[in-house]
């Protein structure tokens, strides 16, 4: 009916173009589900990576992020890009749960033979049933706009590092995700 109107055509092309970008983004994220994570390991100071992730998160997180990093964390062989994706996702989720008035804390410490990275928020929390039955499964989400693949992908990345991704949450009180990465013993130990 309005195809002869140049403004209508321009608006229709813009809408189609934006839809194609969204479809391509969704397709590439879905493709990650079937792909084995290939790690590019590099000696890394975990605390430096955490500082970068927190600084970058401040672009979308409109609340303060408390930081408490253990200076005795050893350098580790990790895939910086992949672990950064995990941190970015956890920080976005923490902000989505806590909101602009909430509190987020990022910390690191050693526990036994594990380097532990924690991302905590005082947001809405999750039910025990959701954690047990749905949390790390693809296409399971509590978000209105979410696809439910972020935490699934995070767990896949942490697992590929030989680590663990744990969660503690209480509805109405908040959530803490812990990334546990194995500390390799040196030849001298």
């Amino acid at each position: 009916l309005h195809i002869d109107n140049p403004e209508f055509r321009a608006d229709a092309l813009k809408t189609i173009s934006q839809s194609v970008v969204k479809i391509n983004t969704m397709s590439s994220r879905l493709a990650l589900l079937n792909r084995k994570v290939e790690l590019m390991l590099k000696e890394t100071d975990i605390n430096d990576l955490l500082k970068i992730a927190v600084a970058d998160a401040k672009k979308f997180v409109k609340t303060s992020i408390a930081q408490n990093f253990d200076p005795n964390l050893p350098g580790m062989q990790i895939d910086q890009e992949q672990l950064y994706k995990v941190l970015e996702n956890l920080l976005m989720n923490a902000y989505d749960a806590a909101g602009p008035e909430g509190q987020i804390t990022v910390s690191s410490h050693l526990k036994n033979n594990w380097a532990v990275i924690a991302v905590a928020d005082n947001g809405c929390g999750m039910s025990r049933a959701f954690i047990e039955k749905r949390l790390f499964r693809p296409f399971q989400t509590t978000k209105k706009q979410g696809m439910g693949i972020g935490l699934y992908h995070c767990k896949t990345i942490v697992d590929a590092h030989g680590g663990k991704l744990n969660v503690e949450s209480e509805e109405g009180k908040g959530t803490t995700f812990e990334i546990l990465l194995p500390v390799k013993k040196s030849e001298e130990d």
Side-chain angles (χ1 to χ4, degrees):
L1 179 66
H2 301 286
I3 200 68
D4 292 331
N5 181 336
E7 288 178 24
F8 174 82
R9 278 195 309 255
D11 188 52
L13 286 173
K14 181 180 176 188
T15 301
I16 291 168
S17 177
Q18 289 172 339
S19 296
V20 168
V21 168
K22 286 180 183 177
I23 290 168
N24 285 338
T25 301
M26 186 184 316
S27 294
S28 63
R29 290 187 75 189
L30 290 173
L32 294 172
L33 295 178
N34 291 330
R35 196 177 310 148
K36 185 177 185 276
V37 176
E38 294 184 27
L39 301 178
M40 306 266 292
L41 300 177
K42 181 179 177 185
E43 183 75 14
T44 302
D45 181 319
I46 297 288
N47 290 333
D48 286 347
L49 184 63
L50 290 172
K51 290 172 189 170
I52 292 167
V54 168
D56 290 349
K58 289 182 179 180
K59 295 172 186 164
F60 62 83
V61 171
K62 305 299 182 218
T63 189
S64 66
I65 301 174
Q67 301 172 57
N68 184 15
F69 304 139
D70 182 345
N72 299 315
L73 227 53
M76 298 182 67
Q77 292 288 323
I78 62 162
D79 186 315
Q80 295 174 355
E81 185 178 330
Q82 295 290 347
L83 193 58
Y84 178 90
K85 288 178 189 176
V86 173
L87 296 168
E88 181 180 53
N89 189 281
L90 293 178
L91 285 164
M92 283 194 300
N93 287 351
Y95 180 64
D96 287 346
E101 302 301 318
Q103 297 173 342
I104 298 171
T105 303
V106 178
S107 61
S108 68
H109 65 275
L110 284 172
K111 184 177 182 179
N112 300 322
N113 289 323
W114 298 95
V116 181
I117 299 166
V119 177
D121 68 69
N122 68 342
C124 57
M126 296 175 281
S127 72
R128 177 72 34 216
F130 181 82
I131 293 169
E132 290 173 1
K133 293 183 170 86
R134 300 173 54 198
L135 182 62
F136 293 113
R137 293 191 174 92
F139 310 113
Q140 305 294 315
T141 184
T142 59
K143 297 180 186 179
K144 292 176 185 168
Q145 300 295 320
M147 288 179 54
I149 59 176
L151 283 175
Y152 173 81
H153 191 229
C154 287
K155 185 167 181 354
T156 303
I157 292 169
V158 173
D159 288 349
H161 280 86
K164 302 174 187 176
L165 183 57
N166 297 334
V167 62
E168 286 294 323
S169 187
E170 189 175 337
E171 287 183 283
K173 295 203 173 171
T175 302
T176 300
F177 279 93
E178 283 188 338
I179 302 166
L180 285 80
L181 299 171
V183 175
K184 304 284 190 240
K185 295 215 174 212
S186 69
E187 300 298 321
E188 299 157 8
D189 290 344

